[in-house]
């Protein structure tokens, strides 16, 4: 079913359904791309304030990405023309930056994807705009816990389904809904590659995790039901029941011992509050 392909060097990689297995050069490339993603997300923290528009934040992401020697992988991706995705409150993912201004009490996801020297960093965090109600802050905290519990499953010999099982168990223990329509993914020289990393799954199912696999884990967790609806812009996904939704994303690599997180914040700002 799922085949593995060992990546040796500069060969052309195809989205052919194979799971790529990388060596030291791949880890070095992903460390640099992941580090830049984390630095961009760090720098955004003090700027996420009432009154700032999502378009202004997108400009900052684009400039920081270019200054870091990278390009935003989203730019020109399937007709998308922005440098990041910004998803506010009941927006689940792929919110398009624009004229909308943030307001006190909003919860906001910013998802950045620098492509640096041929390697893709992909990471997102939640930000709290001013004072945020406890219910929303708890959703954000539990969503971060879901991401980290998923990451804890990652080691050689574990199965892909172990990740989703850990995430689903924790989210549903809080009576939250796990979004099914969008998944984590393999990445590396390709932005979205096999395997699909689902965030609700049965433990012990799916392909075996092997050293050298690169993937994202990016659970979207809803305060209400899991169901999503697409807006007519073709990108923005929102919760059907208008409940709040939160998401965190890291890019990771499977190592002999467990895993390495490429997109950890160098300043410890992995989850809010950031100061
Ligand atoms: N960064 C998103 C992910 O985690 C993908 C965004 S693609 C876009 O996979 F075109 F919507 F920006
Ligand atoms: Co991703
Ligand atoms: Co992303």
């Amino acid at each position: 079913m799922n085949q593995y392909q060992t990546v040796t060097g500069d060969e052309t990689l195809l989205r052919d359904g194979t799971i790529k297995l990388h060596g030291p050069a791949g880890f070095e490339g992903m460390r640099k791309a992941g580090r830049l993603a984390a630095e961009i997300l760090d720098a955004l923290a003090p700027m996420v304030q009432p009154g700032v528009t999502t378009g202004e934040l997108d400009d900052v992401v684009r400039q920081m990405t270019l200054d870091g020697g990278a390009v935003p992988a989203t730019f020109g991706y399937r007709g998308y023309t922005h440098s990041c995705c910004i998803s506010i409150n009941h927006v689940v993912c792929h919110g398009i930056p624009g004229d909308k201004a943030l307001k006190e009490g909003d919860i906001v996801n910013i998802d950045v994807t620098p492509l640096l020297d041929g390697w893709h960093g992909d990471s997102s965090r939640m930000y709290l705009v001013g004072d945020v109600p406890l219910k929303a802050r708890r959703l954000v905290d539990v969503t971060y816990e879901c991401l980290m519990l998923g990451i804890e499953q990652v080691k050689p010999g574990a199965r892909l389904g172990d990740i989703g099982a850990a995430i689903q168990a924790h989210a549903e223990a809080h009576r939250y809904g796990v979004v099914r329509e969008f998944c984590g993914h393999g990445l590396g020289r390709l932005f979205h590659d096999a395997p699909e990393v689902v965030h609700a799954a049965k433990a012990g199912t799916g392909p075996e995790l092997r050293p050298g696999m690169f993937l994202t884990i990016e659970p979207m967790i809803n305060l209400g039901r899991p169901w999503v609806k697409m807006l007519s812009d073709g990108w923005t996904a929102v919760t059907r029941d208008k409940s709040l939704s939160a998401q965190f994303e890291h890019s990771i690599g499977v190592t002999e011992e467990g895993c390495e997180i490429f997109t950890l914040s160098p300043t410890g700002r992995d989850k809010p509050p950031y100061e």
Side-chain angles (χ1 to χ4, degrees):
M1 244 191 31
N2 264 290
Q3 297 188 0
Y4 298 83
Q5 178 184 355
T6 302
V7 178
T8 51
D10 293 330
E11 71 267 44
T12 301
L13 296 177
L14 301 174
R15 294 190 65 208
D16 55 6
T18 62
I19 295 173
K20 310 322 184 268
L21 301 177
H22 299 86
F27 277 85
E28 204 37 57
M30 287 300 287
R31 251 170 232 140
K32 289 185 184 147
R35 167 91 179 198
L36 179 58
E39 286 171 350
I40 295 166
L41 293 175
D42 278 5
L44 290 170
M47 299 176 199
V48 177
Q49 298 289 342
V52 71
T53 69
T54 54
E56 288 164 347
L57 294 171
D58 188 61
D59 289 341
V60 171
V61 171
R62 182 176 54 257
Q63 199 53 56
M64 282 199 74
T65 305
L66 296 174
D67 289 348
V71 293
T74 52
F75 190 81
Y77 177 78
R78 299 184 180 196
Y80 195 82
T81 55
H82 293 82
S83 301
C84 64
C85 299
I86 303 184
S87 304
I88 306 169
N89 295 336
H90 74 298
V91 178
V92 171
C93 63
H94 302 167
I96 304 173
D99 293 336
K100 196 176 181 69
L102 301 184
K103 61 179 197 315
E104 180 100 11
D106 285 345
I107 61 169
V108 183
N109 176 276
I110 306 180
D111 190 335
V112 302
T113 55
L115 168 58
L116 181 62
D117 296 335
W119 298 95
H120 290 85
D122 188 3
S123 185
S124 79
R125 297 181 199 155
M126 296 302 295
Y127 298 81
L128 309 177
V129 184
D131 274 331
V132 168
L134 180 61
K135 258 179 94 160
R137 277 186 279 135
R138 283 184 52 79
L139 173 70
V140 169
D141 285 346
V142 170
T143 303
Y144 179 77
E145 290 163 10
C146 283
L147 170 61
M148 298 315 285
L149 287 167
I151 290 175
E152 275 177 28
Q153 301 300 313
V154 177
K155 55 178 178 298
R159 300 292 202 91
L160 200 64
D162 298 347
I163 298 170
I167 291 168
Q168 183 179 11
H170 192 58
E172 291 181 354
H174 290 267
R175 301 163 151 271
Y176 296 150
V178 180
V179 171
R180 309 298 206 272
E181 280 86 348
F182 301 94
C183 306
H185 47 93
L187 83 171
R189 303 235 302 277
L190 297 167
F191 184 12
H192 289 127
D193 198 7
E196 268 193 4
V197 181
V198 301
H199 302 113
K202 276 197 167 43
T205 65
E208 185 188 298
L209 303 181
R210 296 193 185 169
M213 280 176 66
F214 295 162
L215 25 115
T216 74
I217 304 179
E218 48 182 301
M220 286 140 275
I221 307 295
N222 299 348
L223 193 46
R225 308 294 298 156
W227 321 131
V228 311
K229 176 175 91 176
M230 295 301 299
L231 297 191
S232 56
D233 61 27
W235 286 104
T236 312
V238 300
T239 55
R240 269 194 185 274
D241 62 7
K242 304 269 170 57
S243 67
L244 294 175
S245 186
Q247 178 180 29
F248 287 86
E249 175 178 26
H250 273 313
S251 298
I252 68 176
V254 183
T255 63
E256 298 290 341
E257 296 78 30
C259 81
E260 175 174 346
I261 305 175
F262 298 125
T263 46
L264 272 184
S265 167
T267 59
R269 291 187 180 96
D270 288 295
K271 64 158 176 142
Y274 295 118
E275 242 91 31

